Amino acid sequence: MRTVTPRPGETRLRLNAVACALAALAVSAICLWLRVAYEYDGNVTGLYYTGETISTPPQLAGEHIRRIAGDRGYDAQFYHYVAHDPLLTRGLAEYVDNPRLRWRRILVPGLAYTLASGNDDAIDLMYVAVMLAFAGLGAYWLGLLGERAWLGLGFLLIPAVLISLDRMTVDLPLAALCIAFVLHGGPRESRAVYAVLAAAPLVRETGLLLIAGWCVWTGSQRRWRQAVQGAACAVPALGWWTYVQSRTAPDQTGWLGPYPFAGLIQRTLDPPVIPRTGLWMRMANLTEQLALVGIWAAFAAVLWILWKRRWTLAGVAAVVFAAFSSLLGKYDIWADAYASGRVLSPLLVLLVIVAIEEKRIMPALPMLLILPRVLLQYYAILKRMFS
């Protein structure tokens, strides 16, 4: 590992980045508090967006889980159960749609359980605390990476971050770790990059692609020791996944398509029908189409990286993520901006980092095109809260 020499003004940058990180954390905390107070009647479980049409575990009856009427809910309702039963010993897997998939993504639920010392009454608050901590860390790392502390506040405008703060999904921490990956693994690399690489696959399986990107990048520079150390960072995730596999039924989901871009092409040619009654629905339809353009633009930006040979760590990792994402054929992944914006979040974040490195707006356009649809959803949230 190279020796890092402090640069002039770095202490001031770090202090300013801390201030911006605390501001981002405070804004996120206030937004969540307002939602719990005004939309969920003080019940923090409302943040998990639990559906009324799906059974809830009797083991958690004391929580009085807030449920969305006539809805199947969203992914975090299952991570909620993982946080209460991280080792699969309480029978909560029976109430989860895909236990093997959900329990593989143990980092956020596991941290919540650990911080709460297994106390059911504290786990939900600790889950929120973990999300807020990553919001602050993401802002801090982005401020340092962009060498402008105020840039860190832009972390809150990443689609995956906004979606996670809305629905408590685990994509926010992975977005933050993508930034830390480039910050600690780039020209001024430190050993912290290996902690990031070990943590990322435990957030979502796609975190393994950071390890792949690291190995490709260091291998291309003939830095074989760093490549091997990076590859070894997959061991904790592989060990945990083996444990989960021994206690859960197989994941029968067909994730891959018959050919590259199969799912995205299907979404483009056969878009979901959105009623165009009322201004909000018309705007939703328009911004969904804009987001679809943004998804295609993300792959176009990767082609630009290949053409211009921008072989920075962020550029290489973006190519790896794009290559994998092109193989995803499951229609649900591409069906709307909330789904695709989360799944593609590492790619979108890495492209923004390339834009910062190159001082060009073009690589950041995909995220900017997806953002309006997510912000429109926040308008609907505000309307519900204060109507």
Side-chain angles (χ1 to χ4, degrees):
M1 224 19 97
R2 303 171 205 171
T3 302
V4 177
T5 303
R7 291 174 295 179
E10 182 165 350
T11 299
R12 184 174 182 179
L13 172 63
R14 288 183 179 275
L15 289 174
N16 289 338
V18 168
C20 288
L22 292 174
L25 190 156
V27 168
S28 301
I30 291 170
C31 289
L32 293 179
W33 177 79
L34 288 172
R35 291 201 72 186
V36 172
Y38 288 94
E39 188 174 2
Y40 300 134
D41 301 320
N43 189 339
V44 71
T45 64
L47 294 172
Y48 294 118
Y49 210 84
T50 303
E52 186 184 47
T53 61
I54 296 180
S55 300
T56 55
Q59 296 93 320
L60 301 181
E63 287 194 345
H64 305 290
I65 296 173
R66 174 99 179 190
R67 303 168 76 181
I68 308 300
D71 201 300
R72 290 184 58 82
Y74 215 67
D75 291 7
Q77 64 184 320
F78 304 122
Y79 300 128
H80 173 205
Y81 303 155
V82 175
H84 284 274
D85 186 14
L87 297 178
L88 288 156
T89 57
R90 298 181 62 185
L92 269 63
E94 180 183 345
Y95 301 89
V96 173
D97 62 343
N98 188 340
R100 182 166 296 184
L101 174 74
R102 304 304 180 187
W103 259 269
R104 282 200 301 255
R105 302 171 179 180
I106 191 61
L107 187 70
V108 174
L111 284 175
Y113 180 88
T114 302
L115 291 172
S117 300
N119 181 354
D120 278 343
D121 294 335
I123 285 173
D124 294 338
L125 288 177
M126 290 301 102
Y127 190 106
V128 174
V130 170
M131 298 293 285
L132 291 175
F134 273 107
L137 286 171
Y140 174 73
W141 289 327
L142 185 57
L144 291 184
L145 184 64
E147 298 186 352
R148 298 288 188 277
W150 58 268
L151 283 176
L153 296 174
F155 182 75
L156 296 182
L157 293 177
I158 295 173
V161 174
L162 289 168
I163 294 167
S164 293
L165 290 175
D166 175 22
R167 302 287 175 87
M168 286 292 113
T169 58
V170 297
D171 307 278
L172 185 161
L174 185 56
L177 290 174
C178 285
I179 297 169
F181 165 69
V182 179
L183 175 67
H184 294 296
R188 305 181 71 249
E189 72 184 50
S190 70
R191 292 190 180 278
V193 70
Y194 297 122
V196 172
L197 291 175
L202 291 169
V203 179
R204 281 185 71 115
E205 300 84 349
T206 47
L208 274 180
L209 298 175
L210 289 182
I211 294 176
W214 173 260
C215 292
V216 170
W217 190 64
T218 52
S220 67
Q221 299 172 347
R222 300 181 183 277
R223 295 164 55 201
W224 306 118
R225 180 179 177 183
Q226 285 85 349
V228 171
Q229 289 175 329
C233 291
V235 172
L238 295 176
W240 172 250
W241 296 349
T242 300
Y243 174 82
V244 171
Q245 183 171 337
S246 70
R247 290 174 171 264
T248 55
D251 179 0
Q252 302 291 349
T253 309
W255 297 103
L256 303 182
Y259 51 86
F261 299 103
L264 185 53
I265 291 172
Q266 182 187 2
R267 162 66 176 85
T268 304
L269 299 178
D270 184 24
V273 178
I274 301 177
R276 301 188 183 187
T277 55
L279 177 61
W280 192 91
M281 296 304 294
R282 290 196 295 272
M283 289 299 296
N285 186 72
L286 176 62
T287 52
E288 279 290 353
Q289 296 306 313
L290 194 64
L292 179 61
V293 173
I295 294 170
W296 281 111
F299 291 104
V302 171
L303 291 178
W304 177 84
I305 291 172
L306 290 169
W307 178 47
K308 291 292 187 178
R309 298 182 180 181
R310 297 300 195 253
W311 303 132
T312 62
L313 177 58
V316 170
V319 171
V320 171
F321 267 99
F324 173 79
S325 300
S326 70
L327 302 177
L328 296 173
K330 193 169 185 289
Y331 184 84
D332 291 356
I333 295 173
W334 309 103
D336 55 66
Y338 252 50
S340 55
R342 294 191 301 116
V343 175
L344 290 183
S345 63
L347 174 58
L348 297 173
V349 169
L350 291 166
L351 289 175
V352 167
I353 294 173
V354 171
I356 293 173
E357 293 173 344
E358 297 291 325
K359 295 180 172 59
R360 291 174 177 264
I361 190 64
M362 190 274 287
L365 281 177
M367 183 174 291
L368 296 176
L369 290 171
I370 294 173
L371 184 58
R373 176 63 186 94
V374 181
L375 291 176
L376 184 65
Q377 196 69 23
Y378 268 75
Y379 169 77
I381 292 171
L382 290 171
K383 192 173 180 180
R384 288 199 306 269
M385 285 171 55
F386 300 109
S387 60

